[in-house]
Amino acid sequence: TIFFQFIKVGKAALDSVNLKGHSFLTLKDFNAEETKHILWVSADLKNRISTGYVPLLQGKSSAMIFEKRSTRTRILSLSLCLFGFFLLGGHPCFLTPQDIHLGVNESTTDTARVLSGLADFMLARVYSHSSLEHLDKDASIPIINGVNLKVATPKVRLFQICFIYLGTNVLVTDTWVSMGQEEKKKRRLKDFHGYQITIVAAPDWTFLHCLPCKAEEVDNEVFYSPRSLVFTEAENRKWTFIGLMVCILTDYTPQIPKLKFKKNVGGKH
């Protein structure tokens, strides 16, 4: 389990990470300190924007490409526009599959070069990761991916051991059938049968889920529990995206103390 606390740092530590001009295609391109820096900026902006206008991206524009659309991606893009990007002074342009056809009516190379002259960065949720790599290769502006995180999980018995004996207290789950995987639904429901979360044995637990949530994945007692942070998790996607945009477009230094991450091993801090 990972938790954080505030600490004071000197100027050298503040200047140690600079992500301006970087694309964000996959987490493996960022080391631990760079990832922590993005989260630090996100936490800082969540605090600052809640109290007023912060025009860090005044005059900046973005091209948002969405081949895969869902409630969260559509609302997330609107959140970035209305509650995020506009508050930072930027101007977004939302591009649907009806507006842009990557590699169809125009080559991906030409699209990347055209948008590089019209926007300061691109945010894309596309079906093929190779499309992102192609855009990044030919664009002269940063590219932000809607990241697909894959995690290998152990057997149920090991989960029980982690909660009871190792002091683990955060359970992170995912939807069984993601958008675009409808043809795999029948097989996945069969494979995951019996893995519904109905109770958490740890005395001090937190539940997370990326949404949308189905009844066969987790019951309402856990999902709507006061210890469930699924809706806070959904909101924090906005702040993380905002923090990432500020990191790749500016030299911004957060005003709050730097976040310190510590591992909770064996139930002890």
Side-chain angles (χ1 to χ4, degrees):
T1 302
I2 304 295
F3 70 97
F4 62 84
Q5 62 186 22
F6 293 124
I7 60 170
K8 293 183 179 181
V9 294
K11 189 176 186 300
L14 292 174
D15 296 339
S16 62
V17 176
N18 189 328
L19 298 175
K20 187 176 181 180
H22 288 221
S23 288
F24 187 92
L25 301 187
T26 171
L27 277 173
K28 70 180 182 180
D29 294 335
F30 293 78
N31 61 37
E33 291 306 311
E34 291 169 334
T35 302
K36 292 175 185 177
H37 182 80
I38 293 172
L39 295 177
W40 179 30
V41 172
S42 302
D44 176 79
L45 292 174
K46 182 177 182 179
N47 178 65
R48 287 193 63 191
I49 292 175
S50 65
T51 59
Y53 181 57
V54 186
L56 295 173
L57 300 184
Q58 184 75 45
K60 301 291 185 181
S61 61
S62 67
M64 299 181 176
I65 304 172
F66 288 91
E67 287 186 335
K68 297 176 67 176
R69 297 174 62 184
S70 68
T71 301
R72 265 146 304 287
T73 51
R74 180 69 182 186
I75 296 301
L76 178 57
S77 65
L78 291 175
S79 295
L80 287 169
C81 297
L82 300 177
F83 307 116
F85 213 28
F86 282 162
L87 289 178
L88 294 171
H91 178 76
C93 179
F94 187 86
L95 302 173
T96 70
Q98 288 70 43
D99 302 315
I100 189 170
H101 304 273
L102 288 177
V104 181
N105 294 335
E106 183 176 53
S107 70
T108 303
T109 295
D110 289 353
T111 298
R113 292 178 177 177
V114 168
L115 292 179
S116 292
L118 300 176
D120 293 285
F121 79 98
M122 280 182 264
L123 188 154
R125 191 191 193 205
V126 296
Y127 285 105
S128 173
H129 189 74
S130 62
S131 296
L132 287 167
E133 294 175 329
H134 198 161
L135 284 171
D136 188 51
K137 176 179 179 293
D138 294 311
S140 58
I141 57 177
I143 310 293
I144 296 179
N145 173 24
V147 174
N148 180 25
L149 181 64
K150 296 183 178 179
V151 180
T153 59
K155 295 182 179 181
V156 176
R157 175 58 182 165
L158 186 51
F159 276 126
Q160 295 172 339
I161 293 175
C162 287
F163 274 104
I164 298 173
Y165 299 106
L166 299 183
T168 301
N169 53 17
V170 178
L171 182 60
V172 183
T173 63
D174 192 5
T175 185
W176 293 355
V177 183
S178 298
M179 185 179 180
Q181 298 180 328
E182 287 77 9
E183 75 283 356
K184 300 179 181 179
K185 181 175 181 178
K186 185 175 181 180
R187 175 61 185 271
R188 283 177 173 262
L189 290 178
K190 179 180 179 182
D191 289 343
F192 289 115
H193 179 71
Y195 281 83
Q196 183 196 42
I197 299 173
T198 57
I199 188 171
V200 182
D204 183 18
W205 58 274
T206 296
F207 175 75
L208 299 174
H209 191 291
C210 71
L211 301 176
C213 184
K214 306 299 182 181
E216 62 269 14
E217 300 168 357
V218 56
D219 69 9
N220 286 343
E221 185 177 354
V222 172
F223 186 78
Y224 293 108
S225 165
R227 293 188 177 277
S228 172
L229 298 181
V230 293
F231 299 111
T232 300
E233 176 187 5
E235 177 196 350
N236 282 341
R237 293 180 183 180
K238 176 182 70 174
W239 300 114
T240 306
F241 266 107
I242 290 173
L244 179 60
M245 288 190 296
V246 169
C247 284
I248 68 175
L249 293 175
T250 75
D251 296 312
Y252 178 73
T253 298
Q255 297 183 0
I256 64 172
K258 192 173 184 180
L259 304 180
K260 181 179 180 181
F261 294 79
K262 293 180 65 178
K263 292 185 178 181
N264 178 4
V265 182
K268 296 181 180 179
H269 293 174

